[in-house]
Amino acid sequence: MPNQRDIAMDLMDEKRFSEAIPIFNNLIEITPDDWSTHYMLGQCLRFTAKIVGAVQSLQKATSLNSANPQVFLAYGIALQIEGRYEEAISALEHAIELDAGFISAYNSLGMTYRIIGNSRTAIDWYSLATDKLVEMAQDVAKEDKDKCFEDKIIDGVKSRVFLPYYMEKIYSTLRSDPTYSIIMNNIGVCLIELGDTELARERFLESIEFIPDGYEYPEPSQNIQSLN
């Protein structure tokens, strides 16, 4: 027989968040210091638009587990939804302090700054996210070192030459997940708000190029149409 926690988590997986909420509440009464239960309750409350309760639960989760970047991301998003933008920024920046490669936190910071009308700073955070994604893709490519580089003597000097596989692998890695495409689209939207429509068009085209096969993401195409 599955225990109550397993039942609640299965309900979350099925997006039946309202049904999971009372189970998590009961579990908190039994184990009030379990950060993960507060975290999952907070997520269920957020996904059912109970934002005040979500913020309270996620804040409790951060106090019980101050080393988990995912908890601070969820807390920051809930604060953003509630309109507490400065606190959201602080929580999201802390998530990045805990994990410098936490792309979702960079993206959420960009979104928060865009909401408050600071599109230029939003682009800075989105750009940091794309830089991190490229770095990660480079690391994936470098796992096959023999395919990436070749040492040659050029004009009497030993040089390391990049092979075609290296760039192809970076490209395919970035295109294997929608994150890069989504962030490029977000940058384009900010550029429109800043009045740079030509550069925005370039970012939308890049976003379209990196949409993974089979992934439905019409936003960049729609954004380009809005420029015409």
Side-chain angles (χ1 to χ4, degrees), residues 5 24 28 31-43 57-72 74:
R5 185 183 182 86
F24 284 128
I28 286 171
T31 55
D33 293 331
D34 183 349
W35 70 268
S36 64
T37 308
H38 288 279
Y39 168 73
M40 289 183 286
L41 173 60
Q43 293 289 68
S57 294
L58 292 167
Q59 183 178 38
K60 181 66 175 179
T62 63
S63 69
L64 292 170
N65 187 349
S66 60
N68 190 315
Q70 185 67 46
V71 174
F72 280 91

Side-chain angles (χ1 to χ4, degrees), residues 30-100:
I30 299 169
T31 55
D33 293 331
D34 183 349
W35 70 268
S36 64
T37 308
H38 288 279
Y39 168 73
M40 289 183 286
L41 173 60
Q43 293 289 68
C44 287
L45 290 167
R46 175 163 76 88
F47 292 134
T48 53
K50 298 177 175 65
I51 301 303
V52 173
V55 169
Q56 292 172 346
S57 294
L58 292 167
Q59 183 178 38
K60 181 66 175 179
T62 63
S63 69
L64 292 170
N65 187 349
S66 60
N68 190 315
Q70 185 67 46
V71 174
F72 280 91
L73 170 66
Y75 180 45
I77 291 172
L79 287 166
Q80 178 205 92
I81 295 170
E82 196 178 18
R84 295 162 61 179
Y85 301 119
E86 293 302 320
E87 293 170 84
I89 288 168
S90 178
L92 294 167
E93 287 180 342
H94 189 64
I96 291 172
E97 289 173 7
L98 293 170
D99 181 0

